[in-house]
Amino acid sequence: MKAIATAALLAMSGVFLIVGIARKEMRTSGIVKIQPNLPQLFHREALKLPHIPIPDSSELPDVPNDVESVISSIATRASEGLDQATEAAKTIATRVSEGLSEATGTLNFTIGNIPRKITIGTDQICYLGSNNKTSCKKAPLDTSALFPSPLSTILDLDVIPSSFSAILKINVRSCLIAALIGVMLFAILLIYLDTPVFGVVSIIPFLQTMMKVGCGILVIIPLLLAAVVTFSAPSLLRKIDMLAVENGDLVWCLGIVLGLVGSAIGLLYIPCWV
């Protein structure tokens, strides 16, 4: 009775493993979905203002000797200063206009090359471009290759620990396939272990235990490796500013599998069941 119930839980987990393996969405966006959220930053060059000479007081004639000459000199220099100020204002306006045009063109080019959305699946990474076209490739094995240029130069990737590169080297899809094989073998073993199908193994408790342990390892180890990537990748990527990060659909799928497998193994060794 206990073996059959355990095998049923393992079979249910196998169904969800098949979903995680077979669905295209799991391969392309099952682990994490990333939305760049870049502020509008303009590069502005420093404006070079023309020098406006200020009259020196020593150049002005003495007030007591020639009042009319003083007034005329002040009026002339004020007029010259006003003309120069007007030219300076025109120069500033021209430089601001040129700077904004250049900055806008640079910004448009930069934004046009930044993906609108990045998704990481079980064995692929996909980029949604500004033209609404999606391109996918094999998942990168290093953090520096995760984001394309110029996004990689804008983001502060130093906040991600170096261990994240090791996590990226784990192929989640291969882990799910290995776990599915282990689940199937484990379920078959539990159903037929006490029958003559396994010959001498069915009458030697030590061999039965060793086979159960071997199948259990084949199930648990790949699932744990897949869980490390699936659950840690979104949380680590949330440390990067200017990124909106969401969990992929594999999170709930793998969570159900872990719950079913854990329940099956626990049920198998609960002493009160017979």
Side-chain angles (χ1 to χ4, degrees), residues 189 193-194 199-213 269:
L189 178 67
L193 186 58
D194 295 330
V200 69
V201 177
S202 61
I203 60 176
I204 301 178
F206 175 75
L207 293 179
Q208 290 183 0
T209 302
M210 292 301 297
M211 292 187 68
K212 290 179 181 178
V213 171
Y269 294 100

Side-chain angles (χ1 to χ4, degrees), residues 159-261:
V159 298
I160 301 180
S162 56
S163 59
F164 187 62
S165 294
I167 293 175
L168 290 176
K169 291 179 173 61
I170 300 175
N171 191 305
V172 177
R173 192 165 188 267
S174 297
C175 292
L176 296 179
I177 293 174
L180 178 60
I181 294 173
V183 163
M184 294 173 61
L185 291 177
F186 205 171
I188 293 172
L189 178 67
L190 291 175
I191 295 174
Y192 295 102
L193 186 58
D194 295 330
T195 65
V197 173
F198 284 92
V200 69
V201 177
S202 61
I203 60 176
I204 301 178
F206 175 75
L207 293 179
Q208 290 183 0
T209 302
M210 292 301 297
M211 292 187 68
K212 290 179 181 178
V213 171
C215 289
I217 292 175
L218 186 58
V219 173
I220 294 174
I221 297 301
L223 283 180
L224 290 179
L225 290 175
V228 168
V229 182
T230 304
F231 294 107
S232 65
S235 60
L236 290 176
L237 290 172
R238 287 189 180 97
K239 295 182 178 181
I240 304 177
D241 294 333
M242 298 185 291
L243 290 182
V245 180
E246 297 180 7
N247 293 330
D249 293 338
L250 187 63
V251 171
W252 63 264
C253 185
L254 188 57
I256 294 176
V257 172
L258 289 172
L260 290 172
V261 171

